[in-house]
């Protein structure tokens, strides 16, 4: 066999299940030991310093510089006791990853070394970081960028480094990251939601968002991963014929977790627990070698920050296990891709989940108000929300028959649908069955409680009992990008809702009447976006078009929504993004799309020229030799029919492949000649992508014909099964 592939397979076969981070104690005994949480702060901070952090979290103020010095002293003591030598501001640039620049505590004075950490260093860093995409926000005379501590998210220690969750802004103050708009959107939502919540309970001061992120991922053996240049460089396989067996039998889904994987999971869970990440579930997913984990939900900032940290931890721990975690949304053609379902709800500071319907949702005006506002927000800005997760990676997944469809719709479940229909039609709500009923199987099995929030897995945005679940978020994405859009559009709907009530009351309507009128208005207005059926069916695509719901098909085309005056008004009025920041995001998104596609197209070309064609030609030469030999021995061409027809097929495919690879290079050049980044992205989408599909088709056909012994790259059947 091709030695490269053989070596990788041998090496992979030698990798075994091992534990590297086993603690042997109850999780509760070490949970959160690497987090500077409230309990720890009480031991290390003065009352004044502690209060400053609490005020930041509860009142949105920021700690003064002198208090920051006090906080830094306490933090340094704690971090050094836990073996930390460095600190870093950890921020979330526009690339879906995290960024860090480590700085040592150690300082040197008159030949003496001393550990130092000042309030200044805690609060602010100037990482320069001028190479991050910034969409023109830093191209002017002043290219400096600053990171600043976000006191609403706890400090923690990872790998001997004190990590300081931070925002990242330009010299001029514009956001260069995901966290700034996220924090601003939380404020916008809290302000708007609290106004509406006070209609029902005047004691409500603020409304927070709870988020639970389910993280899907693939695992691949390190040796096999290293033998696939495409996986290494682009995170996905750009060629690869499907395996004869993959997910057809659903035998992997929820199956027994393989030993190596289970050891890996236990290890990364241990490390995550030490960081205070409240992991709850783990299981096999649909595709072979695909898995999922999910923590208990938390406030939105913690949930998002911890998800980013979890991804780092998983990658680090995987290396120990000689594994690679693949977070790409579609690493393998033909099997399911990965997402990051975003469960989302709103809670008052008094502890009420505003999306909890209770036993009688039809009578629960508060629930109906908030539910209606979410629907209205999605009705008005569903395309924008879908675009918030539109990326090259995610585009390989969305709209296929697995991930949510490319068009936005909301699933509410039969009970709530009936309630909404009745309200819209002004009908009495007829008797319906209890929300919870029980099911008796056989005597010995405890009774099963059925809830009626029937799940519709084909919906991109589903109500699941007391929260919404946005399922189109990609597995590698920073969930903040979707979440701040969701917060912003719901905040707008809530503001309008409250205005509507005010004016109805001014016209003399009672409070309850006014609320009922607004609920009915919103349910009526959001009828088009409600859909309970099969989101994968072709009928729905047609029906959605009739209802005026646009799918996100072409990614750069979708990004044009950021130039829509409605979008600009939405973001600027809510104070979440300025015009300049929106424009910067638009540019960065296009730039990332172009660069990623450019890399993929290059890798595809390289692999075809350096791996696929040489293997195919070697096999052609063997066939030619065989045909000639047979002719010499038998003097009868017909006895070499198999070889001849195989040779013909392979030759044709090789010709097509080299022609298409050459065309791909030309298409890339053509696209690159566009000066404007958005125009370039559109050319990449229209000219480069279709050619990549064509090239892949020939390469995958060759994989089926060429002698397995000669094939140089690990195949799907090898990559996808432990
Ligand atoms: P499923 O796969 O059935 O959707 P999981 O248990 O994998 O369910 O994940 C559900 C996620 O939703 C978990 O993170 C859970 O904590 C979270 N969640 C539960 N209730 C809420 C809520 N009220 N608000 C936000 N997230 C929630
Ligand atoms: Mg889910």
């Amino acid at each position: 066999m091709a030695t490269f592939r053989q070596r990788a397979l041998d090496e992979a076969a030698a990798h075994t299940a091992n534990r590297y981070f086993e603690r042997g104690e109850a999780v509760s005994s070490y949970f959160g030991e690497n987090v500077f949480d409230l309990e720890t702060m009480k031991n290390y901070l003065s009352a004044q310093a502690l209060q400053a952090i609490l005020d930041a979290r509860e009142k949105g103020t920021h700690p003064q510089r002198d208090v920051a010095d006090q906080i830094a002293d306490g933090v340094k003591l704690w971090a050094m006791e836990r073996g930390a030598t460095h600190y870093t501001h950890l921020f979330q640039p526009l690339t879906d990853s995290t960024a860090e620049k480590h700085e040592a505590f150690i300082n040197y004075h008159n030949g003496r070394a001393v550990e130092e950490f000042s309030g200044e260093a805690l609060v602010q860093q100037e990482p320069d970081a001028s190479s991050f995409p910034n969409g023109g926000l830093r191209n002017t005379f002043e290219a400096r960028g600053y990171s600043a501590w976000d006191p609403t998210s706890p400090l923690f220690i990872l790998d001997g480094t004190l990590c300081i969750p931070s925002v990242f802004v330009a010299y001029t103050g514009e956001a260069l990251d995901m966290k700034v708009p996220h924090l601003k959107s939380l404020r916008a939502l809290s302000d708007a939601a609290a106004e509406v919540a006070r209609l029902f309970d005047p004691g409500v001061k603020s409304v927070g968002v709870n988020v639970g992120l389910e993280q899907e991922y693939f695992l691949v053996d390190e040796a096999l991963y290293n033998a696939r240049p495409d996986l290494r460089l682009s995170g996905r396989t750009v060629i690869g014929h499907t395996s004869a067996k993959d997910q057809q039998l659903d035998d992997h889904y929820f199956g027994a977790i393989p030993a190596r994987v289970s050891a890996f999971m236990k290890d990364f869970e241990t490390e995550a627990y030490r960081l205070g990440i409240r992991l709850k579930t783990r299981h096999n997913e649909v595709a072979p070698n695909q898995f999922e984990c999910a923590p208990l939900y938390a406030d939105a900032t913690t949930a998002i920050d911890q998800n980013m940290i979890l991804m780092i931890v998983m990658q680090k721990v995987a290396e120990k296990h000689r594994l690679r975690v693949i977070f790409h949304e579609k690493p393998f053609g033909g099997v399911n891709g990965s997402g990051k379902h975003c469960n989302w709800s709103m809670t008052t500071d008094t502890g009420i989940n505003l999306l909890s319907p209770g036993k009688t949702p039809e009578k629960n005006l508060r629930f109906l108000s908030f539910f209606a506002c979410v629907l209205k927000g999605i009705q008005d800005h569903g395309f924008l929300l879908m675009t918030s997760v539109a990326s090259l990676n995610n585009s390989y997944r969305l709209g296929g028959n697995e991930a949510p469809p490319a068009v936005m719709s909301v699933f509410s479940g039969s009970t709530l649908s009936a309630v909404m229909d009745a309200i819209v039609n002004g009908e009495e709500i007829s008797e319906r069955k209890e929300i919870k009923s029980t099911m008796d199987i056989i005597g010995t099995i405890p009774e099963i409680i059925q809830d009626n929030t029937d799940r519709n897995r084909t919906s991109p945005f589903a109500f699941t009992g007391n929260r919404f679940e946005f399922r189109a978020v990609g597995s590698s994405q920073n969930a903040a990008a979707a979440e701040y859009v969701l917060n912003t559009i719901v905040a707008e709907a809530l503001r309008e809702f409250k205005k509507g009530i005010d004016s109805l009351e001014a016209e003399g309507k009672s409070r309850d009447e006014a609320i009922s009128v607004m609920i009915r208005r919103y349910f009526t207005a959001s009828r088009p976006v409600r859909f309970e059926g099969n989101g994968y069916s072709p009928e729905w695509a047609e029906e959605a078009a009739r209802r005026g719901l646009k799918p996100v098909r072409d990614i750069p085309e979708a990004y044009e929504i950021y130039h829509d005056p409605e979008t600009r008004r939405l973001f600027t009025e809510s104070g979440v993004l300025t015009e300049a920041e929106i424009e910067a995001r638009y540019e960065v998104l296009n730039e990332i799309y172009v660069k990623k596609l450019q890399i993929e197209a290059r890798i595809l070309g390289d692999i075809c020229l350096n791996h696929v064609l040489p293997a195919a030609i070697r096999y052609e030469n063997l066939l030619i030799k065989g045909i000639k030999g047979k002719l010499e021995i038998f003097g009868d061409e017909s006895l070499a029919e198999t070889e001849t027809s195989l040779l013909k097929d392979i030759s044709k495919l090789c010709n097509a492949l080299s022609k298409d690879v050459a065309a791909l290079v030309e298409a890339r050049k053509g696209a690159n000649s566009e000066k404007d980044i958005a125009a370039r992205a559109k050319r990449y989408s229209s000219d480069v992508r279709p050619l990549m599909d064509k090239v892949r088709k020939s390469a995958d056909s060759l994989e089926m014909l060429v002698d397995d012994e000669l094939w140089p790259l690990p195949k799907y059947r090898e990559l996808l099964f432990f």
Side-chain angles (χ1 to χ4, degrees), residues 88-163:
T88 181
H89 275 206
L90 192 73
F91 56 94
Q92 303 170 9
L94 300 175
T95 52
D96 278 335
S97 56
T98 49
E100 42 192 286
K101 180 186 170 199
H102 297 198
E103 202 117 11
F105 285 129
I106 201 83
N107 230 332
Y108 310 94
H109 297 288
N110 308 324
R112 254 175 10 103
V114 230
E115 271 91 3
E116 282 180 355
F117 184 53
S118 65
E120 177 80 22
L122 166 68
V123 170
Q124 170 180 333
Q125 231 183 355
E126 193 188 318
D128 178 29
S130 51
S131 296
F132 282 112
N134 61 74
L137 282 179
R138 299 170 73 189
N139 286 349
T140 43
F141 61 98
E142 181 50 87
R144 260 185 290 177
Y146 296 105
S147 57
W149 173 38
D150 166 20
T152 63
S153 190
L155 307 165
F156 60 94
I157 296 172
L158 187 64
D159 250 1
T161 297
L162 170 71
C163 297

Side-chain angles (χ1 to χ4, degrees), residues 377-395:
I378 305 287
Q379 171 68 41
D380 291 347
H381 299 287
F383 187 83
L384 175 66
L385 183 59
M386 213 42 149
T387 302
S388 73
V389 297
S391 67
L392 177 67
N393 292 10
N394 217 8
S395 70

Side-chain angles (χ1 to χ4, degrees), residues 210-214 254 280-281 283 285 292-298 341-347 353 455 457 464 466-469 471:
N210 280 329
V211 166
L213 297 169
E214 302 163 47
F254 280 30
K280 274 297 269 185
T281 60
H283 61 81
E285 257 303 327
E292 179 185 306
C293 62
L296 189 68
Y297 68 88
H341 291 181
C342 178
N343 295 270
W344 180 95
S345 63
M346 297 175 275
T347 318
N353 177 352
R455 305 285 185 96
R457 292 281 160 190
T464 53
N466 61 359
R467 61 188 186 268
F468 282 96
E469 182 171 342
R471 301 199 175 113

